[in-house]
Amino acid sequence: MSGLLDPTLYVIKGIAILDNDGNRLLAKYYDPTVFSNVKEEKKYEKNLFQKTHRANAEIIMLDRLTCVYRSNVDLFFYVMGSQHENELILVSVLSCLYDSVSAILRKNVEKRTLLDNLDIIMLAIDEICDGGVPLETDPQVVAQRVALRMEESAFNDQTVTQVLQSAREQLKWSLLK
């Protein structure tokens, strides 16, 4: 029994989205023991991209991490877990990530659209995984939650704009008196 690992909820070590040149567009790592700094993360991402961008597979074991991936047009989506992790969990998180992004971007999953909506995509990743713990694997639920949070922030922004406009109007009227 000494060879078995204790079960844990912290199954996701990282999530990354790279462009078709292997450059990071978005990455989030949850285990500081895997990579100690951004330089190591980017080095790993370059190596990962070199091994996967022409491959026809969906999974790779690289530097003691199990990585599942998927590509579309000019984007590569990666979900990483430990070498002992259940690949089905990683694939379900990857599928949710990809399908959520697809729903949010209205099926226009490409680099430019992703960059234009990066804040929303970051919210989606936070809805899918928190601190390495997968929270949601249903892309419709993720897309709905993200849309709701964006509506709330738009309402707050609008309120601030309205307050500033009102203050300007009051100042203008007070100066005209």
Side-chain angles (χ1 to χ4, degrees):
M1 288 286 269
S2 64
L4 295 177
L5 295 170
D6 291 330
T8 178
L9 293 174
Y10 300 94
V11 298
I12 306 299
K13 301 295 180 191
I15 294 175
I17 302 175
L18 307 180
D19 67 10
N20 57 352
D21 295 321
N23 298 314
R24 174 192 289 197
L25 299 176
L26 178 63
K28 195 153 191 181
Y29 291 91
Y30 301 103
D31 188 347
T33 62
V34 175
F35 302 109
S36 60
N37 58 40
V38 174
K39 186 177 177 182
E40 284 185 18
E41 293 171 2
K42 288 189 173 188
K43 181 180 173 189
Y44 178 81
E45 290 165 9
K46 283 284 187 198
N47 192 12
L48 182 62
F49 180 76
Q50 289 301 319
K51 303 261 191 237
T52 60
H53 79 284
R54 288 200 179 116
N56 237 355
E58 297 174 347
I59 185 169
I60 186 173
M61 179 79 76
L62 183 64
D63 297 341
R64 297 183 326 273
L65 288 177
T66 301
C67 183
V68 294
Y69 60 96
R70 181 173 179 176
S71 65
N72 183 56
V73 187
D74 56 357
L75 297 173
F76 288 80
F77 296 80
Y78 298 93
V79 173
M80 294 147 266
S82 77
Q83 61 188 356
H84 307 290
E85 199 48 66
N86 182 335
E87 295 87 4
L88 295 176
I89 294 173
L90 299 178
V91 168
S92 68
V93 171
L94 175 66
S95 295
C96 181
L97 171 65
Y98 181 84
D99 293 342
S100 298
V101 169
S102 181
I104 292 165
L105 300 181
R106 294 178 178 82
K107 305 213 183 305
N108 190 14
V109 183
E110 58 183 35
K111 181 179 176 178
R112 182 182 173 112
T113 317
L114 182 122
L115 289 174
D116 289 343
N117 296 281
L118 201 56
D119 54 341
I120 306 169
I121 304 304
M122 292 170 84
L123 279 175
I125 288 176
D126 288 343
E127 289 292 334
I128 294 167
C129 185
D130 182 29
V133 179
L135 298 177
E136 186 61 66
T137 56
D138 183 343
Q140 265 64 46
V141 171
V142 171
Q144 287 170 352
R145 286 183 185 162
V146 168
L148 183 64
R149 288 172 80 178
M150 291 309 291
E151 283 175 16
E152 289 171 1
S153 70
F155 177 73
N156 291 340
D157 292 344
Q158 184 180 14
T159 305
V160 170
T161 306
Q162 288 172 341
V163 167
L164 289 173
Q165 186 65 35
S166 175
R168 279 190 205 111
E169 290 292 321
Q170 288 178 0
L171 181 62
K172 186 168 64 174
W173 284 110
S174 69
L175 292 174
L176 290 175
K177 286 184 180 179

